[in-house]
Each structure stands twice: as structure tokens, then as C-alpha cells.
Amino acid sequence: MAKAVIITLGCRVNCADSALLTDRLTKRGFAVAEKIDAANPPDLVVVNTCAVTSEAVSKSRQAVRRARKVAPLARIVALGCAAVPDEKNLLASGADMVRDNFYKVQAPDFSDTPTAFSATFRENAFSQFPFRTRAFIKIQEGCNNFCSYCIVPLVRGRERSRAFAEVLEDCRHAIDAGFPEIVLSGVNLCAYADDGRKLADLVAAVANLPGDFRVRIGSAEPRFDQLKLLDVMANEAKICRFLHLSLQHGADAVLRSMHRHYSAAQYREFCLAAREKIPDLHLGTDVIVGFPGETEELFEESLDFVGKLHFANIHQFIYSPRPGTAAAKFPDQVPGCVAKMRAQKLRRVALASAESFRQSQLGKRFGVIFEQDDGKILRGWSDHYLEVAVPSQSFPRGRIVEIEATAENLRSVGDLPK
């Protein structure tokens, strides 16, 4: 039997794509292994690449080079987001073939004409996760926002939504396979729409499937007409108290330059509404520092805004110019050394805010799925995405178990930098 390995870089959507690729390869007679074994090398290596930052593109090239070194005779396909901006370099790094996201449905040959655009699509495959505890289910693809810094619309295409019925069927397969958590994944989740049904309708339908599992909504772009989603989250016990909404900046002047379609005040109002409806909500976000034209005053305005919202988690990024985006040509590019200093300030705020959320949960009881056991420590994550660490073998892995949060088992976010 032919052997294949899928190497996945980047976001949850890529994880979901790799799960669908696993199904397609399995149906075509491949045995899919978790990693490359030099003693028993694969016949095919698929590197599912990422291009969200220049560093991500660089890591994609590195993955191709490592695969070629360990499996010199394998057919190596560089697939996904980095294919558009970095095709020549991926080929030079050792890939036999480079294909963009639209070829993912053509595994394992990737040689046919990609499927035509449709506002509603079907994968005609079911997600397989042989090496994971959580199931990342793809429900949406593409983005129409065209933020000035973002390459995603260029590499993922226009917004389109996976057929409602197929999503539910894919989730049923994952639940029947014993997965305790379903993570709904997409490029712009709040844009989901199929025959009048929106994201809130889909989330409610998934939560009402029978079984012992929970539902997590992946990272989302803010859409402030989605108040129904907050009601569904508040009323459905299976839905994780977790909402990750990309802010990107806390100053309106920078948000306009980024071509974001909201003001800081609108974002704040939605967050306050979410916290009011959903007690103990883990509210996370993404923030960019060093965007072109970000003065010290604008950065401090953003820092103050972020600090007052008390996020449980902040993914911070130093602006990275992406060829083909409008911002790459903007004047007033921020020097790297200045951006790094601002990032350090933001990190202090982020750590303090995360620690405050952790402290607020001490003494409370909640469900945890334990996933990692190194023989000494068993680690897992709560529905509101706090890491819990207990002695090895204290609880079963891969099931939802209830624990009481203590200073000993609720992992600290670390010492704050001075």
C-alpha cells in the first residue's frame, strides 16, 4: 500500500483541509502516516502551506526542504496558501509540484482543473483526524473584505459556504468516531450563509446533534449583525464559552487605513453584549502593531483600548508587508525596532489580562478535555480555553470531565515581564 504524510502549517482552516485530504488519500488507497519515517519513507508528502505572514511562507519552504532531505525519493506537493506568492521558491526548495487551495479537492494527483466557484460548495469528503483529539470541521471558505494588509482573499478566493447538510453529516461522522470537541472552522465564519441559514443557525444545529461532545467556534471576523449567535451560545450548553474576534487595532484611524469595516466603539459594544449574555466568556482577539502610519499616539490609543477590554487571550502580530496587498505600498512604514518595542508593551498588557481571566476562574467547576500526557503531567483545555495540568493518568484522555479549578491545576500564563 502506498504511504502518504500530510504536513500542516498555519490556521485551523488548514487543519480542516488536511483532515479532508486525509479522507481523499485514504479512499485512493494511501495509508496516511503522522510524520515522515526515514527508515520507511512515504511515497507522497503533501505540505499544506501558510502565507499569512512572511515568516509563515519561510516555514513552508523549510518544511519542503526537510521533507526532501528525509524522503529524497518521495513525490512532494506544496499545496495551499503559499503556492500563489511563493511558487518559484517552493519548487527551488524541493517540491515536485506546487498547487493552490483550489486543487485540494483533487488529491492525490492534483493535476485536474480545479472546481469552478460556487457560493455554496460541497467537499464530497468527510474529515479524518487519525492523530488529533479535536475535530476541525470546515464550514466556510474565502473572504470578500480585502483588508489592506491581508493576502487571504488572493490565496483563498471569494466567500463561499459549505452546504448545511454536508456540514452536519461531517460533524456526525466526527461524533460517531468519538471526538469530544467539534471546532467549526473557516476563513470568515460570520459570513456563513446557505439558503437563508446563517452561522447561528448552523451552530445551533450542530449543538443539537446527539452525543457527548462540545462545539467550539473558531476565530471569526467581527460581524455586528450576529447578535443571534450570542443568544445561541448563551442557551446551548454544548457550545464552548469561547469567542475569538479579530480586532487588529484599537484606533479608528488605523482601522480605516486597514480597510476594516467597523469602528473601535462598535467592536467594544459587541464585546460587552457578548460578556453580558455569556458569563465567564473567554474573549480573545488578534492585534497588529507597527502598521504603516501607526504613530506612537495611535499605538498608545490602541494599547489603551485593548487593555480596557480585558481579553482572555491576545494573538499579537508585528505587521509584515505582503506583496500584492495595498498596505505594502503605503508610506510611513514603521521601523522594525520600533514595532518590536511596541509588541513588547502589548505583550505585557496581554499577559496581565490573561492572568486576570485565569484568576477569575479559580474555585469554579467546568468541563475539561485532557489531550497530552508526557508520563508526569496530564494537560487539557477547558471549554473556555484555559489550560489545566494535573498528575499523569489522573483522568481519562479524550473525554469531557468536570474539574474544580485550583491554583495548582490551572496553568499560569507565566511571570509577567518587568
Side-chain angles (χ1 to χ4, degrees):
M1 178 179 287
K3 185 177 177 182
V5 171
I6 302 172
I7 300 170
T8 307
L9 295 96
C11 66
R12 288 172 172 172
V13 185
N14 259 9
C15 292
D17 279 337
S18 291
L20 292 163
L21 282 168
T22 300
D23 186 54
R24 294 179 181 120
L25 289 171
T26 300
K27 288 175 178 175
R28 294 289 293 271
F30 282 84
V32 179
E34 183 175 9
K35 57 186 178 180
I36 300 175
D37 179 1
N40 184 22
D43 303 282
L44 171 67
V45 177
V46 179
V47 181
N48 196 357
T49 65
C50 179
V52 69
T53 63
S54 56
E55 182 181 2
V57 174
S58 177
K59 288 182 178 179
S60 297
R61 288 187 218 126
Q62 291 172 12
V64 171
R65 285 196 291 268
R66 284 196 298 269
R68 177 57 69 203
K69 182 177 180 180
V70 180
L73 300 181
R75 179 174 175 239
I76 298 177
V77 179
L79 188 65
C81 292
V84 174
D86 207 46
E87 179 180 5
K88 291 182 179 179
N89 288 324
L90 289 168
L91 288 169
S93 297
D96 296 300
M97 179 184 290
V98 179
R99 290 289 185 267
D100 63 31
N101 286 297
F102 298 97
Y103 283 85
K104 287 182 177 178
V105 298
Q106 305 295 347
D109 51 39
F110 308 104
S111 59
D112 297 331
T113 303
T115 54
F117 174 83
S118 174
T120 302
F121 68 93
R122 297 182 65 87
E123 292 284 351
N124 297 312
F126 295 117
S127 306
Q128 290 192 31
F129 306 89
F131 315 113
R132 289 184 175 272
T133 305
R134 291 180 284 167
F136 295 86
I137 304 297
K138 183 176 181 178
I139 70 167
Q140 189 273 341
E141 180 62 275
C143 184
N144 293 349
N145 288 342
F146 286 93
C147 297
S148 61
Y149 56 84
C150 186
I151 198 173
V152 168
L154 302 178
V155 299
R156 287 275 181 182
R158 288 175 288 167
E159 289 173 359
R160 50 208 188 275
S161 299
R162 189 177 180 187
F164 194 94
E166 190 185 63
V167 171
L168 293 184
E169 193 171 357
D170 205 358
C171 290
R172 287 191 196 97
H173 276 258
I175 296 163
D176 291 343
F179 286 94
E181 182 171 304
I182 303 294
V183 184
L184 300 180
S185 306
V187 175
N188 191 356
L189 284 177
C190 288
Y192 183 87
D194 179 19
D195 195 23
R197 292 167 294 196
K198 301 296 182 67
L199 178 62
D201 303 301
L202 179 62
V203 172
V206 174
N208 280 291
L209 292 173
D212 184 16
F213 68 97
R214 66 192 188 193
V215 185
R216 187 178 303 279
I217 300 170
S219 300
E221 287 289 292
R223 284 278 296 269
F224 305 120
D225 58 350
Q226 296 278 353
L227 290 175
K228 182 181 176 182
L229 176 64
L230 301 182
D231 292 329
V232 170
M233 292 179 67
N235 294 326
E236 296 287 351
K238 285 183 179 177
I239 301 175
C240 294
R241 296 166 295 170
F242 174 87
L243 197 58
H244 191 97
L245 292 176
S246 297
L247 169 64
Q248 304 303 8
H249 210 274
D252 284 343
V254 179
L255 287 174
R256 288 192 294 270
S257 184
M258 288 178 165
H259 298 172
R260 302 292 282 176
H261 304 290
Y262 53 84
S263 67
Q266 287 175 311
Y267 185 97
R268 178 179 178 275
E269 288 172 9
F270 189 85
C271 290
L272 294 179
R275 284 203 173 112
E276 182 178 351
K277 289 177 179 289
I278 309 163
D280 295 323
L281 174 70
H282 176 128
L283 189 60
T285 197
D286 303 316
V287 178
I288 295 173
V289 299
F291 189 77
E294 182 192 62
T295 63
E296 193 64 31
E297 291 76 17
L298 288 171
F299 167 72
E300 290 295 336
E301 182 181 344
S302 181
L303 191 68
D304 180 66
F305 180 85
V306 169
K308 289 178 178 177
L309 277 178
H310 305 289
F311 291 103
N313 181 41
I314 298 174
H315 293 166
Q316 65 179 71
F317 302 89
I318 294 176
Y319 169 72
S320 172
R322 309 303 295 123
T325 63
K329 299 179 181 179
F330 282 1
D332 301 320
Q333 299 281 330
V334 176
C337 58
V338 174
K340 287 180 181 179
M341 290 178 62
R342 293 174 183 174
Q344 289 175 356
K345 288 185 178 181
L346 176 60
R347 183 172 183 272
R348 294 189 185 99
V349 170
L351 286 172
S353 183
E355 180 61 18
S356 177
F357 180 72
R358 171 187 173 273
Q359 291 285 340
S360 74
Q361 300 305 300
L362 294 177
K364 297 183 179 181
R365 298 189 68 84
F366 43 72
V368 175
I369 298 173
F370 288 98
E371 301 182 35
Q372 301 173 1
D373 193 339
D374 63 5
K376 295 181 180 179
I377 301 296
L378 177 65
R379 289 183 170 84
W381 282 264
S382 70
D383 74 294
H384 50 0
Y385 220 61
L386 288 174
E387 185 175 349
V388 177
V390 297
S392 179
Q393 299 183 353
S394 298
F395 297 96
R397 293 171 62 184
R399 285 171 46 192
I400 301 173
V401 296
E402 189 175 276
I403 63 105
E404 179 179 339
T406 67
E408 290 72 32
N409 65 27
L410 203 57
R411 185 180 181 276
S412 174
V413 297
D415 296 330
L416 300 183
K418 298 180 180 179

